[in-house]
PDB file of all heavy atoms in Angstrom:
ATOM      1  N   VAL A   1     -12.500 -10.103  -0.011  1.00 91.00           N
ATOM      2  CA  VAL A   1     -11.306  -9.800   0.759  1.00 91.00           C
ATOM      3  C   VAL A   1     -10.195  -9.422  -0.210  1.00 91.00           C
ATOM      4  O   VAL A   1      -9.866 -10.194  -1.122  1.00 91.00           O
ATOM      5  CB  VAL A   1     -10.871 -10.993   1.613  1.00 91.00           C
ATOM      6  CG1 VAL A   1      -9.537 -10.713   2.286  1.00 91.00           C
ATOM      7  CG2 VAL A   1     -11.944 -11.295   2.655  1.00 91.00           C
ATOM      8  N   GLN A   2      -9.631  -8.267  -0.022  1.00 95.00           N
ATOM      9  CA  GLN A   2      -8.547  -7.872  -0.893  1.00 95.00           C
ATOM     10  C   GLN A   2      -7.664  -6.819  -0.248  1.00 95.00           C
ATOM     11  O   GLN A   2      -8.069  -6.112   0.676  1.00 95.00           O
ATOM     12  CB  GLN A   2      -9.059  -7.354  -2.239  1.00 95.00           C
ATOM     13  CG  GLN A   2      -9.910  -6.098  -2.160  1.00 95.00           C
ATOM     14  CD  GLN A   2     -10.365  -5.641  -3.535  1.00 95.00           C
ATOM     15  OE1 GLN A   2     -10.441  -6.428  -4.483  1.00 95.00           O
ATOM     16  NE2 GLN A   2     -10.672  -4.363  -3.661  1.00 95.00           N
ATOM     17  N   LEU A   3      -6.455  -6.742  -0.761  1.00 97.00           N
ATOM     18  CA  LEU A   3      -5.507  -5.692  -0.442  1.00 97.00           C
ATOM     19  C   LEU A   3      -5.161  -4.983  -1.739  1.00 97.00           C
ATOM     20  O   LEU A   3      -4.931  -5.635  -2.761  1.00 97.00           O
ATOM     21  CB  LEU A   3      -4.233  -6.262   0.176  1.00 97.00           C
ATOM     22  CG  LEU A   3      -4.375  -7.046   1.478  1.00 97.00           C
ATOM     23  CD1 LEU A   3      -3.051  -7.714   1.826  1.00 97.00           C
ATOM     24  CD2 LEU A   3      -4.822  -6.133   2.604  1.00 97.00           C
ATOM     25  N   VAL A   4      -5.116  -3.673  -1.694  1.00 97.00           N
ATOM     26  CA  VAL A   4      -4.825  -2.892  -2.885  1.00 97.00           C
ATOM     27  C   VAL A   4      -3.674  -1.951  -2.594  1.00 97.00           C
ATOM     28  O   VAL A   4      -3.763  -1.111  -1.701  1.00 97.00           O
ATOM     29  CB  VAL A   4      -6.050  -2.094  -3.358  1.00 97.00           C
ATOM     30  CG1 VAL A   4      -5.694  -1.259  -4.583  1.00 97.00           C
ATOM     31  CG2 VAL A   4      -7.205  -3.029  -3.677  1.00 97.00           C
ATOM     32  N   GLU A   5      -2.606  -2.094  -3.366  1.00 98.00           N
ATOM     33  CA  GLU A   5      -1.443  -1.234  -3.228  1.00 98.00           C
ATOM     34  C   GLU A   5      -1.598   0.012  -4.095  1.00 98.00           C
ATOM     35  O   GLU A   5      -2.222  -0.031  -5.157  1.00 98.00           O
ATOM     36  CB  GLU A   5      -0.165  -1.967  -3.642  1.00 98.00           C
ATOM     37  CG  GLU A   5       0.135  -3.230  -2.843  1.00 98.00           C
ATOM     38  CD  GLU A   5      -0.384  -4.484  -3.513  1.00 98.00           C
ATOM     39  OE1 GLU A   5      -1.293  -4.381  -4.371  1.00 98.00           O
ATOM     40  OE2 GLU A   5       0.126  -5.577  -3.183  1.00 98.00           O
ATOM     41  N   SER A   6      -0.997   1.090  -3.645  1.00 97.00           N
ATOM     42  CA  SER A   6      -0.935   2.301  -4.440  1.00 97.00           C
ATOM     43  C   SER A   6       0.351   3.040  -4.101  1.00 97.00           C
ATOM     44  O   SER A   6       1.001   2.749  -3.101  1.00 97.00           O
ATOM     45  CB  SER A   6      -2.150   3.199  -4.202  1.00 97.00           C
ATOM     46  OG  SER A   6      -2.212   3.638  -2.859  1.00 97.00           O
ATOM     47  N   GLY A   7       0.702   3.998  -4.927  1.00 97.00           N
ATOM     48  CA  GLY A   7       1.867   4.830  -4.677  1.00 97.00           C
ATOM     49  C   GLY A   7       3.094   4.465  -5.482  1.00 97.00           C
ATOM     50  O   GLY A   7       4.123   5.142  -5.377  1.00 97.00           O
ATOM     51  N   GLY A   8       3.024   3.421  -6.279  1.00 96.00           N
ATOM     52  CA  GLY A   8       4.155   3.052  -7.104  1.00 96.00           C
ATOM     53  C   GLY A   8       4.376   4.065  -8.212  1.00 96.00           C
ATOM     54  O   GLY A   8       3.436   4.691  -8.704  1.00 96.00           O
ATOM     55  N   ASP A   9       5.626   4.201  -8.609  1.00 96.00           N
ATOM     56  CA  ASP A   9       5.965   5.183  -9.622  1.00 96.00           C
ATOM     57  C   ASP A   9       7.363   4.893 -10.134  1.00 96.00           C
ATOM     58  O   ASP A   9       8.021   3.943  -9.705  1.00 96.00           O
ATOM     59  CB  ASP A   9       5.894   6.598  -9.036  1.00 96.00           C
ATOM     60  CG  ASP A   9       5.601   7.665 -10.066  1.00 96.00           C
ATOM     61  OD1 ASP A   9       5.697   7.386 -11.281  1.00 96.00           O
ATOM     62  OD2 ASP A   9       5.268   8.802  -9.660  1.00 96.00           O
ATOM     63  N   SER A  10       7.790   5.722 -11.052  1.00 98.00           N
ATOM     64  CA  SER A  10       9.152   5.689 -11.557  1.00 98.00           C
ATOM     65  C   SER A  10       9.890   6.900 -11.017  1.00 98.00           C
ATOM     66  O   SER A  10       9.432   8.034 -11.182  1.00 98.00           O
ATOM     67  CB  SER A  10       9.148   5.692 -13.086  1.00 98.00           C
ATOM     68  OG  SER A  10      10.460   5.667 -13.594  1.00 98.00           O
ATOM     69  N   VAL A  11      11.017   6.665 -10.350  1.00 98.00           N
ATOM     70  CA  VAL A  11      11.780   7.745  -9.730  1.00 98.00           C
ATOM     71  C   VAL A  11      13.257   7.571 -10.024  1.00 98.00           C
ATOM     72  O   VAL A  11      13.718   6.496 -10.412  1.00 98.00           O
ATOM     73  CB  VAL A  11      11.570   7.811  -8.205  1.00 98.00           C
ATOM     74  CG1 VAL A  11      10.114   8.077  -7.871  1.00 98.00           C
ATOM     75  CG2 VAL A  11      12.047   6.522  -7.548  1.00 98.00           C
ATOM     76  N   GLN A  12      14.003   8.640  -9.823  1.00 98.00           N
ATOM     77  CA  GLN A  12      15.453   8.593  -9.970  1.00 98.00           C
ATOM     78  C   GLN A  12      16.104   8.053  -8.704  1.00 98.00           C
ATOM     79  O   GLN A  12      15.521   8.117  -7.621  1.00 98.00           O
ATOM     80  CB  GLN A  12      15.994   9.989 -10.272  1.00 98.00           C
ATOM     81  CG  GLN A  12      15.550  10.544 -11.608  1.00 98.00           C
ATOM     82  CD  GLN A  12      16.179  11.885 -11.916  1.00 98.00           C
ATOM     83  OE1 GLN A  12      16.966  12.418 -11.138  1.00 98.00           O
ATOM     84  NE2 GLN A  12      15.839  12.441 -13.065  1.00 98.00           N
ATOM     85  N   PRO A  13      17.305   7.512  -8.830  1.00 98.00           N
ATOM     86  CA  PRO A  13      18.025   7.096  -7.624  1.00 98.00           C
ATOM     87  C   PRO A  13      18.117   8.229  -6.614  1.00 98.00           C
ATOM     88  O   PRO A  13      18.345   9.383  -6.968  1.00 98.00           O
ATOM     89  CB  PRO A  13      19.402   6.707  -8.158  1.00 98.00           C
ATOM     90  CG  PRO A  13      19.147   6.294  -9.570  1.00 98.00           C
ATOM     91  CD  PRO A  13      18.057   7.214 -10.056  1.00 98.00           C
ATOM     92  N   GLY A  14      17.939   7.883  -5.354  1.00 98.00           N
ATOM     93  CA  GLY A  14      17.930   8.871  -4.294  1.00 98.00           C
ATOM     94  C   GLY A  14      16.558   9.419  -3.979  1.00 98.00           C
ATOM     95  O   GLY A  14      16.386  10.111  -2.967  1.00 98.00           O
ATOM     96  N   GLY A  15      15.597   9.121  -4.811  1.00 98.00           N
ATOM     97  CA  GLY A  15      14.246   9.593  -4.600  1.00 98.00           C
ATOM     98  C   GLY A  15      13.501   8.786  -3.560  1.00 98.00           C
ATOM     99  O   GLY A  15      14.008   7.808  -3.013  1.00 98.00           O
ATOM    100  N   SER A  16      12.275   9.205  -3.300  1.00 98.00           N
ATOM    101  CA  SER A  16      11.443   8.570  -2.286  1.00 98.00           C
ATOM    102  C   SER A  16      10.063   8.263  -2.835  1.00 98.00           C
ATOM    103  O   SER A  16       9.557   8.958  -3.718  1.00 98.00           O
ATOM    104  CB  SER A  16      11.294   9.478  -1.061  1.00 98.00           C
ATOM    105  OG  SER A  16      12.528   9.714  -0.426  1.00 98.00           O
ATOM    106  N   LEU A  17       9.474   7.233  -2.290  1.00 98.00           N
ATOM    107  CA  LEU A  17       8.100   6.880  -2.578  1.00 98.00           C
ATOM    108  C   LEU A  17       7.450   6.384  -1.299  1.00 98.00           C
ATOM    109  O   LEU A  17       8.132   5.851  -0.422  1.00 98.00           O
ATOM    110  CB  LEU A  17       8.000   5.782  -3.632  1.00 98.00           C
ATOM    111  CG  LEU A  17       8.326   6.122  -5.077  1.00 98.00           C
ATOM    112  CD1 LEU A  17       8.361   4.844  -5.910  1.00 98.00           C
ATOM    113  CD2 LEU A  17       7.309   7.092  -5.650  1.00 98.00           C
ATOM    114  N   ARG A  18       6.151   6.541  -1.229  1.00 98.00           N
ATOM    115  CA  ARG A  18       5.393   5.970  -0.139  1.00 98.00           C
ATOM    116  C   ARG A  18       4.312   5.068  -0.710  1.00 98.00           C
ATOM    117  O   ARG A  18       3.423   5.538  -1.425  1.00 98.00           O
ATOM    118  CB  ARG A  18       4.748   7.049   0.726  1.00 98.00           C
ATOM    119  CG  ARG A  18       4.142   6.505   2.028  1.00 98.00           C
ATOM    120  CD  ARG A  18       3.262   7.530   2.702  1.00 98.00           C
ATOM    121  NE  ARG A  18       3.011   7.200   4.094  1.00 98.00           N
ATOM    122  CZ  ARG A  18       2.012   7.694   4.821  1.00 98.00           C
ATOM    123  NH1 ARG A  18       1.168   8.576   4.272  1.00 98.00           N
ATOM    124  NH2 ARG A  18       1.865   7.340   6.085  1.00 98.00           N
ATOM    125  N   LEU A  19       4.403   3.797  -0.407  1.00 98.00           N
ATOM    126  CA  LEU A  19       3.397   2.846  -0.829  1.00 98.00           C
ATOM    127  C   LEU A  19       2.325   2.704   0.239  1.00 98.00           C
ATOM    128  O   LEU A  19       2.614   2.736   1.433  1.00 98.00           O
ATOM    129  CB  LEU A  19       4.022   1.480  -1.093  1.00 98.00           C
ATOM    130  CG  LEU A  19       5.154   1.418  -2.118  1.00 98.00           C
ATOM    131  CD1 LEU A  19       5.602  -0.025  -2.306  1.00 98.00           C
ATOM    132  CD2 LEU A  19       4.732   2.033  -3.440  1.00 98.00           C
ATOM    133  N   SER A  20       1.101   2.540  -0.200  1.00 98.00           N
ATOM    134  CA  SER A  20      -0.015   2.282   0.695  1.00 98.00           C
ATOM    135  C   SER A  20      -0.642   0.947   0.346  1.00 98.00           C
ATOM    136  O   SER A  20      -0.627   0.521  -0.807  1.00 98.00           O
ATOM    137  CB  SER A  20      -1.073   3.382   0.589  1.00 98.00           C
ATOM    138  OG  SER A  20      -0.557   4.634   0.973  1.00 98.00           O
ATOM    139  N   CYS A  21      -1.197   0.316   1.345  1.00 98.00           N
ATOM    140  CA  CYS A  21      -1.871  -0.967   1.179  1.00 98.00           C
ATOM    141  C   CYS A  21      -3.171  -0.900   1.954  1.00 98.00           C
ATOM    142  O   CYS A  21      -3.168  -0.922   3.189  1.00 98.00           O
ATOM    143  CB  CYS A  21      -0.972  -2.090   1.696  1.00 98.00           C
ATOM    144  SG  CYS A  21      -1.746  -3.712   1.774  1.00 98.00           S
ATOM    145  N   VAL A  22      -4.268  -0.800   1.241  1.00 97.00           N
ATOM    146  CA  VAL A  22      -5.579  -0.663   1.862  1.00 97.00           C
ATOM    147  C   VAL A  22      -6.304  -2.003   1.824  1.00 97.00           C
ATOM    148  O   VAL A  22      -6.464  -2.598   0.756  1.00 97.00           O
ATOM    149  CB  VAL A  22      -6.429   0.406   1.161  1.00 97.00           C
ATOM    150  CG1 VAL A  22      -7.791   0.520   1.832  1.00 97.00           C
ATOM    151  CG2 VAL A  22      -5.715   1.747   1.191  1.00 97.00           C
ATOM    152  N   ALA A  23      -6.747  -2.448   2.979  1.00 97.00           N
ATOM    153  CA  ALA A  23      -7.474  -3.700   3.081  1.00 97.00           C
ATOM    154  C   ALA A  23      -8.972  -3.451   3.009  1.00 97.00           C
ATOM    155  O   ALA A  23      -9.482  -2.462   3.534  1.00 97.00           O
ATOM    156  CB  ALA A  23      -7.133  -4.410   4.386  1.00 97.00           C
ATOM    157  N   SER A  24      -9.664  -4.358   2.370  1.00 96.00           N
ATOM    158  CA  SER A  24     -11.118  -4.325   2.355  1.00 96.00           C
ATOM    159  C   SER A  24     -11.642  -5.743   2.510  1.00 96.00           C
ATOM    160  O   SER A  24     -10.980  -6.706   2.137  1.00 96.00           O
ATOM    161  CB  SER A  24     -11.658  -3.685   1.072  1.00 96.00           C
ATOM    162  OG  SER A  24     -11.255  -4.410  -0.073  1.00 96.00           O
ATOM    163  N   GLY A  25     -12.827  -5.845   3.073  1.00 95.00           N
ATOM    164  CA  GLY A  25     -13.408  -7.150   3.313  1.00 95.00           C
ATOM    165  C   GLY A  25     -12.972  -7.799   4.614  1.00 95.00           C
ATOM    166  O   GLY A  25     -13.519  -8.846   4.991  1.00 95.00           O
ATOM    167  N   PHE A  26     -12.009  -7.212   5.271  1.00 93.00           N
ATOM    168  CA  PHE A  26     -11.565  -7.654   6.579  1.00 93.00           C
ATOM    169  C   PHE A  26     -10.840  -6.501   7.244  1.00 93.00           C
ATOM    170  O   PHE A  26     -10.480  -5.524   6.582  1.00 93.00           O
ATOM    171  CB  PHE A  26     -10.675  -8.896   6.494  1.00 93.00           C
ATOM    172  CG  PHE A  26      -9.280  -8.619   6.011  1.00 93.00           C
ATOM    173  CD1 PHE A  26      -8.200  -8.711   6.876  1.00 93.00           C
ATOM    174  CD2 PHE A  26      -9.040  -8.281   4.688  1.00 93.00           C
ATOM    175  CE1 PHE A  26      -6.909  -8.477   6.430  1.00 93.00           C
ATOM    176  CE2 PHE A  26      -7.761  -8.038   4.234  1.00 93.00           C
ATOM    177  CZ  PHE A  26      -6.693  -8.142   5.109  1.00 93.00           C
ATOM    178  N   THR A  27     -10.622  -6.609   8.522  1.00 91.00           N
ATOM    179  CA  THR A  27      -9.860  -5.602   9.248  1.00 91.00           C
ATOM    180  C   THR A  27      -8.473  -6.151   9.540  1.00 91.00           C
ATOM    181  O   THR A  27      -8.308  -7.324   9.873  1.00 91.00           O
ATOM    182  CB  THR A  27     -10.550  -5.192  10.557  1.00 91.00           C
ATOM    183  OG1 THR A  27     -10.728  -6.341  11.391  1.00 91.00           O
ATOM    184  CG2 THR A  27     -11.901  -4.574  10.268  1.00 91.00           C
ATOM    185  N   VAL A  28      -7.491  -5.292   9.415  1.00 93.00           N
ATOM    186  CA  VAL A  28      -6.106  -5.738   9.553  1.00 93.00           C
ATOM    187  C   VAL A  28      -5.595  -5.643  10.979  1.00 93.00           C
ATOM    188  O   VAL A  28      -4.427  -5.948  11.229  1.00 93.00           O
ATOM    189  CB  VAL A  28      -5.173  -4.943   8.619  1.00 93.00           C
ATOM    190  CG1 VAL A  28      -5.551  -5.172   7.172  1.00 93.00           C
ATOM    191  CG2 VAL A  28      -5.194  -3.451   8.966  1.00 93.00           C
ATOM    192  N   ASN A  29      -6.441  -5.252  11.909  1.00 94.00           N
ATOM    193  CA  ASN A  29      -6.000  -4.995  13.278  1.00 94.00           C
ATOM    194  C   ASN A  29      -5.181  -6.130  13.876  1.00 94.00           C
ATOM    195  O   ASN A  29      -4.190  -5.887  14.570  1.00 94.00           O
ATOM    196  CB  ASN A  29      -7.194  -4.724  14.184  1.00 94.00           C
ATOM    197  CG  ASN A  29      -7.978  -3.490  13.798  1.00 94.00           C
ATOM    198  OD1 ASN A  29      -8.173  -3.200  12.619  1.00 94.00           O
ATOM    199  ND2 ASN A  29      -8.452  -2.769  14.802  1.00 94.00           N
ATOM    200  N   TYR A  30      -5.609  -7.365  13.627  1.00 94.00           N
ATOM    201  CA  TYR A  30      -4.965  -8.514  14.248  1.00 94.00           C
ATOM    202  C   TYR A  30      -3.918  -9.169  13.355  1.00 94.00           C
ATOM    203  O   TYR A  30      -3.355 -10.202  13.726  1.00 94.00           O
ATOM    204  CB  TYR A  30      -6.006  -9.555  14.642  1.00 94.00           C
ATOM    205  CG  TYR A  30      -7.031  -9.059  15.645  1.00 94.00           C
ATOM    206  CD1 TYR A  30      -8.336  -9.537  15.621  1.00 94.00           C
ATOM    207  CD2 TYR A  30      -6.694  -8.125  16.611  1.00 94.00           C
ATOM    208  CE1 TYR A  30      -9.280  -9.093  16.533  1.00 94.00           C
ATOM    209  CE2 TYR A  30      -7.630  -7.673  17.525  1.00 94.00           C
ATOM    210  CZ  TYR A  30      -8.921  -8.162  17.484  1.00 94.00           C
ATOM    211  OH  TYR A  30      -9.850  -7.716  18.398  1.00 94.00           O
TER     212      TYR A  30
END
């Protein structure tokens, strides 16, 4: 069972990022 984040980075103020969190070993539905 794990969650793995991705999408982190270094950005300038005013910038945007989108983080993702993918679950494995279980379903996050509930």
